[in-house]
Amino acid sequence: MKKFFKQSVKEALKYYVYALVDPRDKRIFYVGKGTGDRVYQHAEDSLDEMNESRKLSKIREIHNAGLEVEYYILRHNLTEQEAFLVESVVIDLLTYEAFNTDHILTNLVSGHHQWNEGIKTENEINLLYDCEKIEPIPGDRLLLVSLNRTYNQAIAKGVYKRDSDYESARKYWAISANKAPKVDYILGIYRGIVRIVIDVKSFTPCDVADDGTVFQKTRYAFEGNILENSPYLNKDVSEYPFGSGGSHTYIPRDYREW
């Protein structure tokens, strides 16, 4: 039977952070945030066999065992931005390898900005905030992209709403058709610091965004691997400014090297 909250409960909850728990071992397998009946939506989604993910597979396993997912509201009566932060902290605590060796959530992405604002050792904190200037490796062709409009997802809207930092950095960039196939790495930049590095494997021209936004000029989306140990990560790129209102720039700057 489909579960739902009464309207009075929904109004009292406002934004909340929730956990889905496997009744067989009492372990959290998913953490999320939302409003209204969001906490129950995953079980509803699992009824559609065409939908496939680790989370939905876990829910189906529980149902096939004749049991029901257990639902916990971790914090409620939050603003959207507060829920975003609480969700991120909980996911970080449950996925950080130094604390958790055998318990992996079915969430597809880590906590928001985990690589930047998440759990860090003291040495990593010093590295993050006492940044060295970037030293481009000769021969590497780098596309530097601004994350200013997507970094804070609590206030991002429309085409700038993204599921992860990877999604924020990989699309949609209005670059020339001849440069798109030459990009080796994408560097996502926020406040002058490289926050994410993507090793580009392929690219796709886009005329329409996932949310239906139609671009006046063809843009490009890239696919690749996140490099957590890249020499470019957490480096200061202030010597390579985007320019007034710019969304991207290149290294090397000399167009003849592209």
Side-chain angles (χ1 to χ4, degrees):
M1 184 173 67
K2 183 176 180 179
K3 290 189 173 185
F4 60 89
F5 291 120
K6 291 182 178 179
Q7 184 59 34
S8 59
V9 176
K10 293 179 183 178
E11 293 175 3
L13 283 174
K14 296 184 179 178
Y15 276 93
Y16 59 85
V17 176
Y18 61 88
L20 305 185
V21 174
D22 188 334
R24 298 169 296 181
D25 56 16
K26 298 298 182 181
R27 286 194 167 189
I28 296 172
F29 66 88
Y30 188 84
V31 173
K33 69 180 185 307
T35 59
D37 296 322
R38 176 58 181 165
V39 65
Y40 297 130
Q41 188 60 50
H42 306 288
E44 188 76 11
D45 292 343
S46 71
L47 298 177
D48 184 353
E49 295 294 335
M50 296 300 291
N51 287 338
E52 193 55 60
S53 69
R54 291 173 58 197
K55 171 190 62 184
L56 298 181
S57 294
K58 173 74 75 172
I59 294 173
R60 292 185 186 110
E61 287 178 11
I62 294 170
H63 289 170
N64 291 337
L67 301 171
E68 293 293 330
V69 173
E70 294 181 357
Y71 305 95
Y72 289 83
I73 305 299
L74 305 181
R75 284 292 185 276
H76 67 281
N77 194 23
L78 304 171
T79 64
E80 184 177 14
Q81 190 165 4
E82 289 170 339
F84 203 81
L85 177 60
V86 172
E87 178 199 37
S88 176
V89 171
V90 173
I91 291 176
D92 283 359
L93 283 172
L94 293 176
T95 57
Y96 192 63
E97 291 184 0
F99 306 155
N100 305 278
T101 58
D102 61 352
H103 183 200
I104 304 298
L105 294 179
T106 58
N107 290 60
L108 291 179
V109 296
S110 300
H112 307 287
H113 306 147
Q114 184 184 55
W115 38 259
N116 180 33
E117 298 170 355
I119 298 171
K120 290 282 182 290
T121 66
E122 59 178 317
N123 288 335
E124 289 171 330
I125 286 294
N126 287 324
L127 176 64
L128 182 60
Y129 293 109
D130 185 17
C131 301
E132 299 176 354
K133 292 188 179 297
I134 192 171
E135 295 185 9
I137 298 171
D140 281 358
R141 289 172 294 195
L142 313 177
L143 172 63
L144 281 62
V145 299
S146 172
L147 301 183
N148 288 347
R149 294 190 178 186
T150 57
Y151 185 83
N152 188 347
Q153 282 296 298
I155 61 175
K157 297 179 180 179
V159 72
Y160 299 108
K161 272 287 187 185
R162 306 289 170 83
D163 292 333
S164 66
D165 300 310
Y166 171 73
E167 290 296 315
S168 294
R170 78 178 189 88
K171 62 186 182 183
Y172 300 95
W173 306 112
I175 68 176
S176 64
N178 68 311
K179 284 186 177 179
K182 299 177 182 178
V183 176
D184 295 317
Y185 302 99
I186 292 176
L187 277 53
I189 314 300
Y190 182 70
R191 293 185 177 177
I193 305 298
V194 179
R195 311 295 188 166
I196 185 171
V197 178
I198 300 174
D199 181 5
V200 174
K201 300 301 182 184
S202 62
F203 69 96
T204 305
C206 303
D207 295 313
V208 182
D210 291 339
D211 74 332
T213 299
V214 177
F215 301 123
Q216 294 182 352
K217 179 182 178 181
T218 298
R219 300 192 179 192
Y220 291 87
F222 296 84
E223 295 282 351
N225 301 319
I226 298 174
L227 299 183
E228 297 182 353
N229 296 312
S230 169
Y232 298 130
L233 191 63
N234 298 324
K235 292 299 189 295
D236 180 348
V237 294
S238 56
E239 293 182 355
Y240 299 88
F242 292 102
S244 179
S247 63
H248 67 276
T249 190
Y250 306 92
I251 299 177
R253 291 298 183 103
D254 190 338
Y255 72 89
R256 291 170 297 184
E257 297 184 52
W258 280 80

